[in-house]
Amino acid sequence: MTTFYTEFQKVLLSVDCIIFGFTDNKLKILIGKRNMDPGRGEWSLYGGFVRGDESLDEAANRTLFELTGLRKVFMRQVGAFGNIDRDPGERVVSVAYYALINVKDYDEELRKQHGVEWVDLDNIPQMYSDHNDMVRRARKLMRQKMKTEPVGFELLPSLFTLTQLQRLYEAVNGEELDKRNFRKRIKDMDYIEKTELIDKKTSKRGAALYRFNKKAFTEDKNFKL
């Protein structure tokens, strides 16, 4: 520990993870009740303080892994939140990150262990401090990203129906899409491949299952949905 900057007040630095999922044709977010003071018992995002030996990205990845047990998850920085009175405990600046995961990849026992729940994104309760603002900004960034990059597939299983894909984009954009036009656009995308497998769980008649071909997309790089 050096003796530099002793004339300045020290500020705590934390990360908060906004974890999006998609199930039952709805966008979900993972939140839980805060188990520390101040704000004990209030709804909150999952986060933690940045350690002295790690970068912001490392802290965010560690926090996400502690909660979900998942690595190599799509995650992007949302921004810094530093209002002076945002935390009544200490002067804390938080850098928020959003992540996209497939709900089925998240171990149910681990979810229960951490006491977190998947909550409908359109029905989020009032949360601790500025966490609702973090979610609003993250959702806006996610919506913009999904218009230019195929990151939405991170929210789906490896095999999915076109109905699932359409419902996902409807949930993200907040509006219904014309089925015929949507499927016409999908048909022109070589990196969304139709398989020989049939989904008989969510469709009575049986719906064809598709998959995202990352290699084909990399070669194409012309995405707009």
Side-chain angles (χ1 to χ4, degrees):
M1 181 69 68
T2 70
T3 57
F4 299 119
Y5 313 125
T6 55
E7 68 272 31
F8 297 104
Q9 176 188 355
K10 298 297 187 292
V11 176
L12 295 173
L13 182 62
S14 68
V15 293
D16 282 294
C17 293
I18 303 150
I19 304 171
F20 292 113
F22 181 72
T23 185
D24 299 326
N25 293 328
K26 292 182 179 294
L27 274 174
K28 306 281 185 174
I29 187 171
L30 202 58
I31 62 175
K33 294 293 184 70
R34 191 171 165 87
N35 59 8
M36 63 186 294
D37 293 318
R40 186 182 297 271
E42 294 183 32
W43 286 105
S44 171
L45 296 170
Y46 191 85
F49 289 101
V50 179
R51 298 171 180 169
D53 62 348
E54 62 186 2
S55 68
L56 282 171
D57 287 355
E58 288 170 341
N61 277 293
R62 171 181 55 79
T63 301
L64 183 67
F65 177 73
E66 289 174 355
L67 178 61
T68 66
L70 301 175
R71 296 191 187 277
K72 296 182 179 180
V73 172
F74 176 89
M75 184 164 60
R76 292 292 184 274
Q77 190 178 117
V78 175
F81 294 77
N83 285 347
I84 295 175
D85 59 350
R86 66 173 302 275
D87 192 311
E90 289 286 350
R91 180 78 169 94
V92 181
V93 174
S94 182
V95 179
Y97 285 76
Y98 80 89
L100 308 179
I101 71 172
N102 178 8
V103 172
K104 292 183 179 180
D105 287 340
Y106 186 23
D107 183 78
E108 186 68 8
E109 290 303 316
L110 192 58
R111 182 191 67 77
K112 293 178 180 179
Q113 177 184 324
H114 285 285
V116 291
E117 299 179 20
W118 286 110
V119 176
D120 189 341
L121 191 56
D122 292 321
N123 193 30
I124 300 175
Q126 183 59 45
M127 293 191 289
Y128 177 75
S129 186
D130 48 12
H131 289 192
N132 289 76
D133 293 333
M134 291 181 180
V135 173
R136 280 190 285 270
R137 191 185 299 184
R139 186 177 191 177
K140 182 179 180 180
L141 292 174
M142 175 184 62
R143 183 178 295 161
Q144 293 171 344
K145 177 68 73 173
M146 286 181 64
K147 289 180 180 179
T148 58
E149 295 182 33
V151 298
F153 295 103
E154 303 287 346
L155 295 165
L156 293 172
S158 57
L159 295 173
F160 52 86
T161 66
L162 291 186
T163 297
Q164 285 178 299
L165 184 60
Q166 181 174 338
R167 295 290 178 264
L168 169 62
Y169 277 87
E170 288 176 336
V172 170
N173 294 317
E175 60 183 11
E176 290 187 13
L177 301 174
D178 181 79
K179 181 177 179 180
R180 183 178 298 177
N181 289 337
F182 181 82
R183 298 201 172 198
K184 183 179 179 181
R185 281 184 288 171
I186 295 298
K187 192 175 181 179
D188 294 333
M189 299 177 180
D190 294 336
Y191 44 85
I192 300 179
E193 297 179 337
K194 184 178 181 180
T195 72
E196 297 180 354
L197 301 175
I198 299 296
D199 171 38
K200 294 183 179 180
K201 292 183 179 180
T202 60
S203 173
K204 293 181 180 179
R205 293 185 300 174
L209 286 168
Y210 289 73
R211 63 186 170 204
F212 172 62
N213 187 323
K214 188 173 183 180
K215 181 179 179 181
F217 169 74
T218 304
E219 295 173 351
D220 187 322
K221 289 188 177 180
N222 182 27
F223 179 85
K224 188 174 182 182
L225 190 59

